[in-house]
């Protein structure tokens, strides 16, 4: 959730894949962190959609941490910087209240549940220090999202609003990407949400985040499919787009996509632009507001897509850009 959750920057096997696989093996759900977040949410008297002020108070009164909102002219300050010596947490001034709350929650994870993070990492048996470092970032960010969007309240709202991402964003005071990422984590035994797949891509097709709460497998080589609706989001930046899509194995899905922009505001200041994709198996689509007006029963209405040309068996695809490795 938020841009700090950088676990999938590269497609080649390595530390990023190892950490991403850890989350995917858990169906992108870490129950221990959800439970800790709900306990702290209640203990702090936090309110849905207005978390930032109470988190700042908890950091101050319990940990002596002073919050400082700094100008984005400081090129070294991207999202958050903590000075342990002065106990000062610096956040850039372009962050909205929900984003500030998220970054404060990340810092709170280090201050209050550090032992839990250590235990989770130790139990995972990562093979390198870099994997352990990245996993700690991912787990802290998971906790932050769970604190700003506590499990039971968030799931109840999602069901009530038919998984309307923009209304959830408004209710919890967070961005479109944060809501989509949180939706992909709701797999509590006995109280599950829908099993979503989450992905973030840039205009060049680079996948910087991908998580699956179910069994959708993203390609690790050769890019992704240009027929996928997530790429259309760049040409219609203000709209939430939908697509029914069928994979070569015959499985069908509903995908939602929208462009998101983040970073400092102001003329001449470069921002980051991505497209967010959120998908689920077509059998769940009727529970989403985004299925309205779609013919979910017509197989001809689904767009044939694949996991990338190099691992796709659709020989007659009009968008094929490279030979398939499956031919050899």
């Amino acid at each position: 959730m938020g841009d700090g959750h950088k676990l999938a920057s590269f497609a080649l096997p390595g530390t990023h894949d190892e950490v991403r696989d850890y989350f995917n093996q858990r169906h992108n759900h870490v129950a221990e962190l959800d439970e800790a977040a709900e306990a702290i949410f209640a203990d702090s008297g936090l309110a849905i959609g207005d978390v930032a002020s109470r988190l700042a108070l908890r950091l101050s009164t319990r940990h002596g941490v002073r919050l400082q909102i700094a100008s984005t002219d400081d090129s070294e300050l991207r999202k958050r910087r903590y000075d342990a010596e002065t106990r000062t947490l610096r956040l850039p001034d372009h962050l909205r209240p929900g984003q500030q709350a998220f970054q404060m929650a990340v810092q709170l994870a280090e201050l209050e549940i550090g032992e839990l993070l250590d235990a989770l990492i130790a139990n995972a048996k990562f093979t390198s220090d870099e994997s352990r470092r990245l996993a700690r970032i991912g787990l802290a960010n998971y906790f932050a999202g769970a604190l700003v969007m506590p499990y039971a309240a968030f799931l109840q709202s999602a069901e009530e609003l038919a998984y309307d991402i923009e209304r959830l964003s408004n209710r919890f005071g967070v961005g479109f990407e944060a809501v989509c990422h949180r939706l992909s984590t709701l797999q509590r035994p006995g109280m599950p949400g829908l099993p979503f797949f989450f992905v973030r891509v840039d205009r060049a097709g680079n996948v910087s985040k991908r998580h699956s709460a179910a069994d959708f497998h993203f390609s690790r080589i050769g890019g992704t499919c240009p027929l996928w609706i997530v790429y259309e989001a760049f040409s219609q930046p203000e709209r939430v787009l939908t697509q029914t899509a069928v994979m070569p194995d015959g499985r069908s899905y509903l995908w939602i996509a929208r462009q998101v922009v983040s970073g400092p505001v102001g003329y001449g200041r470069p921002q980051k632009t991505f497209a967010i994709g959120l998908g689920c198996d077509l059998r769940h689509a009727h529970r989403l507001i985004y299925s309205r007006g779609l013919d979910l029963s017509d197989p001809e209405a689904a767009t044939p897509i694949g996991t990338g040309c190099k691992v796709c068996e659709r020989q007659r695809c009009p968008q094929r850009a490279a030979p398939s490795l499956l031919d050899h």
Side-chain angles (χ1 to χ4, degrees):
M1 303 203 241
D3 296 324
H5 199 57
K6 297 178 180 176
L7 302 179
S9 301
F10 304 102
L12 295 176
T15 57
H16 291 78
D17 282 336
E18 185 177 31
V19 176
R20 183 174 54 244
D21 288 346
Y22 165 76
F23 280 94
N24 288 341
Q25 286 163 8
R26 298 190 63 141
H27 301 294
N28 206 27
H29 175 70
V30 187
E32 300 91 329
L33 296 180
D34 275 305
E35 292 164 6
E38 285 182 309
I40 291 175
F41 188 96
D43 183 61
S44 302
L46 303 182
I48 298 298
D50 185 22
V51 176
S53 60
R54 286 283 184 174
L55 280 185
L57 180 62
R58 188 178 182 101
L59 284 169
S60 175
T61 57
R62 294 206 176 198
H63 305 286
V65 173
R66 180 173 64 96
L67 180 65
Q68 182 182 68
I69 306 300
S71 169
T72 49
D73 289 334
D74 183 352
S75 61
E76 295 182 359
L77 185 61
R78 299 289 180 91
K79 288 201 170 293
R80 173 177 53 90
R81 188 162 67 209
Y82 179 62
D83 187 328
E85 184 175 338
T86 63
R87 303 193 76 78
T88 301
L89 177 63
R90 300 183 68 210
L91 301 178
D93 60 7
H94 68 263
L95 296 182
R96 296 183 292 276
Q99 294 172 312
Q100 291 179 3
F102 183 90
Q103 295 301 329
M104 283 187 273
V106 171
Q107 190 59 50
L108 200 66
E110 292 295 337
L111 295 170
E112 294 200 15
I113 63 163
E115 291 184 359
L116 175 56
L117 298 181
D118 291 339
L120 288 168
I121 291 169
N123 290 337
K125 295 181 172 56
F126 292 110
T127 60
S128 69
D129 288 341
E130 179 66 5
S131 291
R132 286 184 281 273
R133 184 187 71 82
L134 289 173
R136 193 177 185 88
I137 293 172
L139 291 168
N141 278 276
Y142 184 107
F143 168 83
L147 185 57
V148 176
M149 293 168 278
Y151 193 102
F154 186 75
L155 176 58
Q156 181 180 353
S157 292
E159 294 283 355
E160 174 191 330
L161 300 175
Y163 292 85
D164 189 319
I165 297 167
E166 289 170 307
R167 293 183 68 186
L168 286 168
S169 176
N170 183 64
R171 179 172 294 186
F172 286 84
V174 295
F176 189 90
E177 179 179 347
V179 170
C180 289
H181 195 287
R182 185 60 171 144
L183 286 171
S184 75
T185 68
L186 304 180
Q187 292 302 300
R188 175 177 286 178
M191 192 191 297
L194 294 183
F196 283 108
F197 329 114
F198 169 87
V199 65
R200 188 181 75 175
V201 303
D202 65 18
R203 292 179 183 272
N206 299 305
V207 179
S208 52
K209 294 182 184 180
R210 58 175 181 257
H211 297 287
S212 176
D215 56 357
F216 187 89
H217 300 289
F218 298 101
S219 173
R220 294 190 178 185
I221 59 173
T224 53
C225 181
L227 298 177
W228 197 11
I229 194 66
V230 70
Y231 295 111
E232 182 65 23
F234 291 112
S235 63
Q236 302 186 57
E238 301 300 321
R239 296 185 58 199
V240 177
L241 306 180
T242 62
Q243 179 189 51
T244 57
V246 59
M247 297 295 287
D249 63 3
R251 295 285 295 275
S252 296
Y253 303 91
L254 174 66
W255 281 97
I256 304 150
R258 203 193 84 173
Q259 177 181 293
V260 297
V261 178
S262 64
V265 297
Y267 180 76
R269 292 182 172 183
Q271 294 184 302
K272 294 184 289 186
T273 302
F274 298 101
I276 301 299
L278 189 73
C280 68
D281 194 285
L282 200 63
R283 70 180 185 275
H284 302 302
H286 66 281
R287 295 173 60 184
L288 277 66
I289 194 169
Y290 303 102
S291 67
R292 292 182 182 177
L294 300 178
D295 188 350
L296 302 179
S297 62
D298 181 7
E300 297 299 320
T303 301
I305 67 170
T307 53
C309 290
K310 292 186 178 181
V311 288
C312 180
E313 59 197 60
R314 298 189 191 281
Q315 298 303 324
R316 298 181 181 276
C317 176
Q319 284 288 154
R320 176 164 290 282
S324 173
L325 297 176
L326 301 179
D327 295 339
H328 302 289

